[in-house]
Amino acid sequence: MSSKEKLLEVKNLKQHFKTGRHSTVKAVDGVSFDIYKGETFGLVGESGCGKSTTGRTIIRLYDATDGDVKFKGKDVHGKKSKTNLKEFNRKMQMIFQDPYASLNPRMTVKDIISEGLDIHGLVSTDKERTDRVHNLLETVGLNKEHANRYPHEFSGGQRQRIGIARALAVEPEFIIADEPISALDVSIQAQVVNLMKDLQKQHELTYLFIAHDLSMVKYISDRIAVMYFGKIVELADSDELYRNPLHPYTKSLLSAIPLPDPDYERNRTRIVYDPSKHDTSEEPEFREIRPNHWVLCTTKELEAYKQEINN
């Protein structure tokens, strides 16, 4: 992490969807966290836990039901002038999960990448536009000959690189990567993650990295928040979360990670999370168990977690 300057502040964020006259899905239900400039903040959980909805609400693809999101100290969901909204859209970009669906099949790669350049008036001539596209393609490991091709001519990994180039084109400060590798072959996933790490150093980027694969999130993230049914249940530094997981759901996710060790795999015990075993005597709160290690728990569970750490 390069600094302790808060770039993004999320407080009590809620995103509820009405699914009928009398029913509501609480996709995101009171989520709070900060992201510091220069870090990668991992948000993990199983499908349907609300992590992608959290990312899409932060970037204003959805209007928040309640709560506050501040980017560089300014309210994200408040009313904005066209100029302010345009500047916000430039500083915060998104890389989507599906590289097949997120690229317009009727547009050339050059037009896809330069769309943001045109909207924000970042180039003044066609030559400058072409040069910027060629530079961006080389930055993400492609070459300038790819500029005049169409998305269907590329592999999944190459399409995701095009998506990354499109996000980088407007020189953002913050990128939300919504499961950017889940649709890719395992052999390609590491390449894309390594590319993102290199780009982070070169361009001083800050990431919100959303995924369900805890092992890959550990590799790229400085801190990790674990999400379950619309709530963050544990948040800690990446190494700390792996060494000392406390919430039973986090332990369940970690127990599912395979290792390339036959002896370990033969004896690996999968922990099954049972939410019914939680203390129900009071409403759980997000509490700091040890420095920078937070868990959603009741007072009774807090004492049990502290005892577990001391043992």
Side-chain angles (χ1 to χ4, degrees):
M1 202 184 307
S2 62
S3 77
K4 274 291 182 181
E5 176 191 341
K6 282 184 188 176
L7 192 69
L8 187 82
E9 299 171 71
V10 178
K11 290 184 180 175
N12 198 33
L13 184 66
K14 295 182 181 180
Q15 183 56 261
H16 297 174
F17 297 106
K18 287 194 177 297
T19 56
R21 188 177 293 179
H22 303 294
S23 58
T24 301
V25 172
K26 297 180 179 180
V28 181
D29 195 29
V31 162
S32 299
F33 57 86
D34 299 326
I35 298 180
Y36 298 101
K37 187 172 175 61
E39 81 166 327
T40 297
F41 185 91
L43 185 60
V44 298
E46 293 171 299
S47 295
C49 72
K51 57 190 186 298
S52 290
T53 304
T54 299
R56 287 165 181 252
T57 305
I58 287 170
I59 205 170
R60 288 181 57 127
L61 290 179
Y62 301 139
D63 290 327
T65 303
D66 197 8
D68 297 310
V69 179
K70 288 184 178 178
F71 180 66
K72 300 178 76 171
K74 295 180 180 177
D75 184 23
V76 168
H77 286 273
K79 287 186 177 179
K80 293 180 182 292
S81 66
K82 282 188 177 180
T83 303
N84 288 341
L85 187 56
K86 201 172 178 181
E87 182 62 17
F88 166 76
N89 289 338
R90 181 184 167 190
K91 294 298 180 185
M92 191 184 293
Q93 287 285 303
M94 195 161 194
I95 300 168
F96 293 93
Q97 175 179 358
D98 188 350
Y100 300 91
S102 63
L103 303 178
N104 189 330
R106 294 185 178 87
M107 292 172 70
T108 64
V109 168
K110 178 182 177 181
D111 289 337
I112 288 169
I113 293 173
S114 61
E115 193 172 17
L117 297 174
D118 298 337
I119 290 170
H120 294 279
L122 300 179
V123 290
S124 52
T125 67
D126 191 55
K127 183 183 184 305
E128 190 181 352
R129 183 176 184 257
T130 301
D131 289 345
R132 285 285 289 274
V133 170
H134 288 172
N135 286 336
L136 284 161
L137 284 171
E138 288 174 2
T139 298
V140 299
L142 298 172
N143 60 62
K144 61 184 181 182
E145 283 73 30
H146 291 131
N148 295 318
R149 296 184 188 175
Y150 290 86
H152 73 268
E153 299 178 62
F154 296 91
S155 67
Q158 287 174 320
R159 289 186 212 197
Q160 198 58 288
R161 288 171 187 265
I162 294 165
I164 293 169
R166 176 177 59 185
L168 283 177
V170 294
E171 300 171 353
E173 292 182 43
F174 180 60
I175 291 179
I176 297 174
D178 182 14
E179 301 226 34
I181 58 172
S182 64
L184 306 178
D185 291 341
V186 174
S187 58
I188 306 298
Q189 289 181 359
Q191 293 177 22
V192 173
V193 168
N194 285 331
L195 170 64
M196 290 182 66
K197 290 183 79 168
D198 291 341
L199 293 172
Q200 184 173 35
K201 292 174 188 171
Q202 293 168 26
H203 299 274
E204 298 182 339
L205 295 168
T206 304
Y207 291 139
L208 169 58
F209 192 92
I210 298 168
H212 62 264
D213 182 353
L214 254 172
S215 57
M216 192 57 79
V217 172
K218 180 183 184 296
Y219 176 64
I220 195 173
S221 301
D222 298 290
R223 291 184 300 139
I224 298 173
V226 178
M227 199 165 179
Y228 179 77
F229 269 82
K231 294 183 182 293
I232 291 178
V233 296
E234 189 160 6
L235 193 165
D237 290 344
S238 179
D239 289 338
E240 166 71 10
L241 191 81
Y242 269 70
R243 280 197 307 265
N244 301 303
L246 292 173
H247 196 279
Y249 179 65
T250 308
K251 292 179 179 178
S252 170
L253 289 181
L254 287 169
S255 74
I257 299 174
L259 293 178
D261 180 342
D263 292 333
Y264 171 84
E265 285 301 312
R266 267 195 295 272
N267 299 307
R268 175 160 64 98
T269 303
R270 175 72 199 271
I271 298 170
V272 178
Y273 177 53
D274 183 358
S276 67
K277 291 185 177 178
H278 281 291
D279 174 33
T280 56
S281 61
E282 63 175 280
E283 191 70 23
E285 294 179 16
F286 213 44
R287 306 167 194 258
E288 193 171 21
I289 307 288
R290 59 201 302 177
N292 300 316
H293 192 156
W294 299 76
V295 182
L296 185 70
C297 60
T298 61
T299 307
K300 184 178 176 182
E301 288 169 337
L302 174 67
E303 295 308 314
Y305 290 145
K306 284 184 174 178
Q307 192 172 353
E308 183 180 332
I309 288 172
N310 292 331
N311 290 341

